[in-house]
Amino acid sequence: MPNSETANPAELAARFVNYTSRHIFLTGKAGTGKTTFLRNLIGLTHKKAVVAAPTGIAAINAQGVTIHSLFQLPFGTYLPKPPAADGDHYNQQYNTPRSIVRTLNMNAAKRKVLTDMELLIIDEVSMLRADLLDAIDMMLRYVRKNNAGFGGVQLLFIGDLHQLPPVVKSNEWNLLGQFYKSAYFFDAVALQQEPPVYIELEKIYRQADSEFINLLNNLRNNQVTAADIALLEKHYQPDFILRPEDKFITLTTHNNKADTLNKQSLDSLKGTSYLYTAKIEDEFSEFSYPAEQIMELKVGAQVMFIKNDPTGEQRFFNGKIATVTDLSADVIEVQADGAREKIVLEKYKWENFRYTTDKVSGEIKEELIGTFTQYPLKLAWAITVHKSQGLTFDKAIIDIGSAFAPGQIYVALSRLRSLDGLVLTSKIPGTGIRQDHSVSAYSKNKQSAGELESRILSDSEHFLRSYLLQSFDLNPLDNYLYEHVHSYTKDINKSAKQKHVKWAAQLLKDHSELKVHSGKFLVQIQRLYQVKSAEGLTALLERATAAERYFNPQLSDFSKRIFERMELVKQDKQVVAYLTELLEIEAMFYEQVKKISKATALLRAMINGEEFTKKDVTTLINQAQRAAEMEKVYAMPGKLDFTDKKTKGKSASAKNKAPKDKDEKVDTKELSLELFQEGKSIAEIAAARKMAVGTIEGHLAHYVAKQEIDAIDILGNKKLDKILQAIKVLQTVNMTPIRSHLGNKFSFGEIKIGIAAHLAELD
């Protein structure tokens, strides 16, 4: 691992991310480069990373997704457990772990992203509520089936707590106050045992005036002096007359104030209005629109750029003020403040992504799902403090009134390059400049560079040891194979899968023999790690390299055997579910091979003082060979489709089914599914098809297991809950003891549906 006694905070943060499992809180004053750090990290980290943010616009700006969409969390208050019976919470809505899990309907693709994720980055963390972070913790533990904090995922929090705080209504705090010291993320229950390491970026790129920087620092640290107040009052101009040529922007506290001022200013201009409509393609939530969907402009309008110049010529930047000089139906010409040349703007395309797992590499990747194309402008006589985050202004009029929340004064002032461009239209109230005491207290957790250097050495050693042990531990894979082999339970005449049971049993036997050798090597890793010296690390690398040469060819051979078996399976009918099982098993072997190679490469990089990056991960395994195998697997018309089958209304299998020839045999289960999706009850389907009710229940249980329909829609909440509870109490999915436990009010068909729902949750 690279080591430098003079490492700056950004380098330290990157090292904590890449070479430890420690949670990190990366903060810094406005203009210190937090966004730049985020973009660089995403491009370089070897970990499978996902970026999320509390709001839609913040997510688009961070090129990530919203927290609620990533985890499918409901909006509103989350409580780690039900509140006290005598609490003040009557008629208040809240969510608990049980209520969220009960209504969770997450498709397999999203579950896989959450299962594969190694690093979760949350941007604009000042707005993240403690209860929402605890909901994330609960979801990751549940989906990953891992009871470690956040399901074993490392978290990187990025943001400035001295900026905009989380929003909590007074009635919500009646509930939240029973569990939390404050609404800020650092008071989440999930972080009390694993607090993040606190790292602060210190070099400011936006301001150069030391007097202004000191003022902003004092505002952040709640240490405003009389001299600071006197300095601000020099800029107090209650009767300031705004001239159009001055190019000031007004920062306000509320949206309606900014909208009104912009509309009045635009209406006062003479000339023709031109409307420019954004082009929205595919999925792009209206709550995440980065610009006006329909933008009205006139010549002479004061506007602001909302993107940096994409050409790289630096003609403008995000927040730069300009004046509209010419308009036509498809042309906007502007002149930036202080510039001589006029700019004919081109439209900019914002992209909306979701995360998915690459079927060949197994890495998490961004998938483009929608775009928003519009000119990167907005009217700029006024803007709210909230929407000004991330922007830089040369001149601003600020009305600092008592309505400002803690942090808003700092945000407003820190948008400016210097005090020269500041106009205050109201005096600073005695209580106006204040910071939340919780934030002030938490900021004392910041550690010195020396303390961080010392901590990262021990943390990285622990991380690498754990990663090596995890990578060479074949027990989880062996357990999965054992469960798979014991799923061959049907009559060979009724299941195409059953004819392959001997092959699967041999696969398990061979792997179990290999597992014995991996167990011996795990003991060696533990022993070699006791030698705290360079020689000990070198010996460990030699043994790990030798172990990689021994295990990976054999594990890769298991993958080859599975691919070969899939070629045989493809020749049978009705084997989509079985092929999917085999593909999942092969993916586990592939990931095991990659983990072993990555663990050895990480150890080598640490010993040699080298970086290990995302690019290095791609060179570990021959992707071309696996891509060819995967292409053969997917080249099965009508057989294998891994697209999201949870479409609205009809399932993909029913909705996209081609018309069948009269002589073509129709899957009897699909006919039951179609009738159910048309709104018919099980009894009605059974009568129409002249079949037993239990047979129809069995058909529908098949689609519950495949997560194409929801068991709640068949059984209702109460019945399903009782069946799932019985499974949990009895620790079995055998229908006979479950039926005995529940009684005759439950049919075997209903229990089968409940078991299918249970197994789908474990998927």
Side-chain angles (χ1 to χ4, degrees):
M1 181 186 67
N3 190 9
S4 169
E5 295 182 0
T6 59
N8 63 39
E11 291 172 347
L12 279 171
R15 285 165 55 193
F16 267 104
V17 168
N18 288 322
Y19 302 105
T20 81
S21 55
R22 180 77 61 182
H23 303 319
I24 305 111
F25 170 47
L26 180 71
T27 188
K29 307 172 183 69
T32 50
K34 296 185 291 295
T35 300
T36 300
F37 173 87
L38 170 59
R39 295 269 47 94
N40 290 341
L41 180 71
I42 288 298
L44 292 174
T45 183
H46 61 81
K47 294 184 177 179
K48 296 179 181 179
V50 169
V51 181
T55 67
I57 293 176
I60 293 296
N61 290 337
Q63 295 180 29
V65 296
T66 65
I67 289 170
H68 286 89
S69 68
L70 178 63
F71 295 100
Q72 288 189 198
L73 291 169
F75 289 95
T77 304
Y78 171 82
L79 302 180
K81 60 183 180 180
D86 58 349
D88 182 17
H89 59 269
Y90 296 105
N91 298 319
Q92 286 186 247
Q93 296 291 322
Y94 59 86
N95 302 298
T96 63
R98 183 179 178 82
S99 69
I100 290 176
V101 169
R102 183 78 280 119
T103 58
L104 183 64
N105 193 22
M106 185 179 288
N107 64 49
K110 183 162 286 188
R111 283 175 181 266
K112 183 157 180 59
V113 168
L114 297 187
T115 302
D116 292 346
M117 179 169 58
E118 297 172 308
L119 172 67
L120 172 62
I121 303 171
I122 300 182
D123 197 23
E124 298 291 3
V125 75
S126 71
M127 296 184 284
L128 176 65
R129 281 176 26 169
D131 61 321
L132 182 55
L133 183 57
D134 278 337
I136 294 171
D137 171 55
M138 182 276 295
M139 284 295 294
L140 285 172
R141 290 174 190 245
Y142 175 76
V143 173
R144 293 166 66 91
K145 303 177 186 63
N146 182 338
N147 206 37
F150 299 99
V153 174
Q154 180 184 29
L155 270 78
L156 168 61
F157 305 100
I158 300 179
D160 184 358
L161 294 175
H162 295 278
Q163 297 196 26
L164 299 179
V167 177
V168 181
K169 299 173 184 176
S170 58
N171 65 323
E172 290 180 309
W173 189 247
N174 290 337
L175 285 170
L176 293 174
Q178 298 180 37
F179 301 94
Y180 300 102
K181 293 179 182 179
S182 79
Y184 288 96
F185 85 95
F186 52 76
D187 276 327
V189 176
L191 289 182
Q192 299 316 297
Q193 298 303 315
E194 295 182 87
V197 62
Y198 190 121
I199 301 177
E200 183 172 354
L201 302 179
E202 296 174 341
K203 181 176 175 57
I204 297 175
Y205 297 94
R206 183 174 292 149
Q207 293 92 13
D209 179 3
S210 60
E211 186 178 44
F212 189 24
I213 290 174
N214 289 334
L215 168 64
L216 292 174
N217 287 342
N218 290 343
L219 277 170
R220 280 176 56 85
N221 300 326
N222 203 26
Q223 297 174 343
V224 177
T225 66
D228 294 327
I229 299 294
L231 177 61
L232 286 173
E233 288 186 345
K234 289 181 181 179
H235 299 272
Y236 171 53
Q237 300 182 56
D239 301 321
F240 180 74
I241 298 174
L242 178 61
R243 300 175 301 177
E245 62 269 22
D246 288 336
K247 305 303 177 190
F248 277 85
I249 188 168
T250 299
L251 297 185
T252 70
T253 55
H254 297 91
N255 278 315
N256 60 348
K257 289 183 180 179
D259 293 342
T260 298
L261 184 51
N262 281 326
K263 189 174 188 314
Q264 289 175 345
S265 300
L266 184 66
D267 290 344
S268 68
L269 293 176
K270 297 178 180 180
T272 305
S273 283
Y274 286 84
L275 300 179
Y276 300 91
T277 302
K279 181 181 180 183
I280 302 162
E281 296 181 294
D282 301 320
E283 295 182 40
F284 211 110
S285 169
E286 61 181 301
F287 300 108
S288 303
Y289 288 172
E292 293 289 337
Q293 183 179 2
I294 300 176
M295 180 170 57
E296 181 183 2
L297 294 177
K298 290 181 181 179
V299 172
Q302 181 167 299
V303 293
M304 175 180 69
F305 295 101
I306 53 176
K307 288 298 296 182
N308 293 331
D309 185 357
T311 67
E313 297 176 16
Q314 299 183 338
R315 299 169 298 169
F316 54 86
F317 55 81
N318 193 8
K320 180 69 174 176
I321 301 297
T323 302
V324 175
T325 53
D326 191 25
L327 294 171
S328 65
D330 55 0
V331 172
I332 298 178
E333 181 189 81
V334 300
Q335 185 169 21
D337 187 26
R340 293 183 179 180
E341 295 183 1
K342 296 176 182 178
I343 303 170
V344 176
L345 280 182
E346 294 181 357
K347 290 184 177 180
Y348 182 84
K349 182 183 288 185
W350 285 267
E351 296 177 324
N352 185 27
F353 296 97
R354 71 177 166 210
Y355 287 99
T356 185
T357 302
D358 187 276
K359 66 183 182 183
V360 174
S361 69
E363 295 295 307
I364 292 176
K365 66 177 183 179
E366 292 178 332
E367 179 183 344
L368 181 65
I369 60 172
T371 60
F372 180 99
T373 306
Q374 177 62 291
Y375 291 102
L377 291 177
K378 70 186 306 178
L379 295 177
W381 285 284
I383 190 174
T384 61
V385 175
H386 186 279
K387 291 180 180 177
S388 73
Q389 281 201 173
L391 303 180
T392 302
F393 304 126
D394 292 316
K395 300 175 183 178
I397 300 169
I398 301 175
D399 182 9
I400 302 180
S402 58
F404 273 72
Q408 281 193 306
I409 292 175
Y410 171 74
V411 173
L413 289 174
S414 63
R415 301 304 97 201
L416 284 161
R417 289 185 184 276
S418 75
L419 285 170
D420 294 338
L422 173 64
V423 171
L424 298 175
T425 55
S426 63
K427 280 203 169 186
I428 303 165
T431 58
I433 298 181
R434 67 192 193 281
Q435 296 294 342
D436 191 291
H437 292 299
S438 299
V439 173
S440 300
Y442 182 65
S443 65
K444 295 176 182 176
N445 289 302
K446 177 185 173 183
Q447 294 176 293
S448 68
E451 290 173 317
L452 292 172
E453 285 283 2
S454 175
R455 188 168 185 175
I456 200 171
L457 290 176
S458 60
D459 282 357
S460 61
E461 180 180 314
H462 175 76
F463 167 73
L464 192 56
R465 175 178 170 274
S466 298
Y467 199 86
L468 278 166
L469 289 171
Q470 179 192 41
S471 300
F472 285 96
D473 183 5
L474 301 185
N475 278 293
L477 182 50
D478 200 66
N479 292 336
Y480 192 90
L481 282 175
Y482 178 86
E483 293 292 334
H484 174 73
V485 169
H486 285 78
S487 71
Y488 292 75
T489 57
K490 296 184 180 180
D491 188 288
I492 195 166
N493 296 318
K494 295 181 179 179
S495 171
K497 170 181 175 178
Q498 201 64 27
K499 68 173 70 173
H500 304 281
V501 62
K502 290 184 179 179
W503 170 84
Q506 186 64 47
L507 196 74
L508 172 62
K509 180 177 181 294
D510 294 344
H511 183 268
S512 296
E513 292 174 358
L514 185 63
K515 184 193 70 170
V516 173
H517 297 290
S518 77
K520 294 176 182 177
F521 182 62
L522 294 178
V523 175
Q524 290 185 33
I525 294 175
Q526 297 275 28
R527 178 171 53 79
L528 288 167
Y529 246 104
Q530 302 303 314
V531 183
K532 305 290 185 181
S533 65
E535 291 77 12
L537 279 177
T538 301
L540 179 61
L541 177 60
E542 290 175 356
R543 290 299 304 129
T545 303
E548 178 186 2
R549 293 197 198 102
Y550 175 76
F551 287 108
N552 274 0
Q554 296 188 69
L555 289 168
S556 295
D557 185 61
F558 281 104
S559 283
K560 182 180 177 182
R561 287 161 66 177
I562 295 170
F563 278 127
E564 290 172 349
R565 180 60 45 164
M566 282 193 274
E567 286 300 307
L568 293 176
V569 172
K570 281 159 50 178
Q571 299 170 19
D572 295 326
K573 295 180 180 179
Q574 303 300 324
V575 292
V576 173
Y578 183 45
L579 284 168
T580 304
E581 288 180 45
L582 294 180
L583 198 56
E584 289 172 354
I585 296 171
E586 189 283 326
M588 293 186 72
F589 277 106
Y590 167 75
E591 283 297 327
Q592 196 78 46
V593 169
K594 193 164 67 170
K595 278 183 182 178
I596 289 175
S597 296
K598 184 175 173 181
T600 308
L602 272 171
L603 178 59
R604 186 178 295 108
M606 190 190 81
I607 293 174
N608 296 334
E610 299 169 346
E611 288 284 358
F612 186 78
T613 67
K614 179 180 289 188
K615 184 178 179 181
D616 296 319
V617 173
T618 62
T619 64
L620 293 176
I621 294 180
N622 184 349
Q623 299 288 354
Q625 181 179 345
R626 187 161 193 262
E629 294 287 356
M630 294 293 285
E631 188 175 349
K632 285 195 292 184
V633 173
Y634 279 82
M636 295 182 279
K639 289 264 187 184
L640 201 57
D641 179 16
F642 291 99
T643 55
D644 182 10
K645 291 184 170 52
K646 288 195 169 185
T647 52
K648 212 168 186 178
K650 291 187 177 181
S651 68
S653 60
K655 186 177 180 181
N656 299 325
K657 190 167 68 269
K660 297 180 182 292
D661 295 333
K662 289 183 179 179
D663 296 334
E664 185 180 351
K665 188 176 179 181
V666 179
D667 184 353
T668 184
K669 293 191 297 296
E670 283 196 9
L671 292 177
S672 296
L673 175 65
E674 289 181 2
L675 291 171
F676 177 75
Q677 290 177 328
E678 288 172 5
K680 288 184 170 56
S681 68
I682 290 178
E684 289 171 335
I685 298 171
R689 301 201 61 199
K690 298 179 180 179
M691 291 180 170
V693 167
T695 302
I696 304 302
E697 287 172 334
H699 291 172
L700 298 184
H702 171 80
Y703 292 104
V704 169
K706 292 177 68 177
Q707 301 186 31
E708 291 191 27
I709 55 177
D710 199 320
I712 292 176
D713 296 335
I714 307 172
L715 303 176
N717 269 314
K718 289 184 179 179
K719 271 201 169 183
L720 178 60
D721 190 49
K722 287 183 179 180
I723 295 171
L724 293 176
Q725 188 62 29
I727 293 171
K728 183 178 180 182
V729 170
L730 299 174
Q731 293 291 300
T732 183
V733 290
N734 189 314
M735 287 195 289
T736 302
I738 295 174
R739 173 73 180 281
S740 299
H741 178 83
L742 293 171
N744 293 334
K745 290 184 178 179
F746 290 79
S747 70
F748 279 107
E750 289 173 329
I751 293 170
K752 185 181 288 186
I753 291 169
I755 292 171
H758 169 73
L759 295 175
E761 284 186 354
L762 297 179
D763 186 10

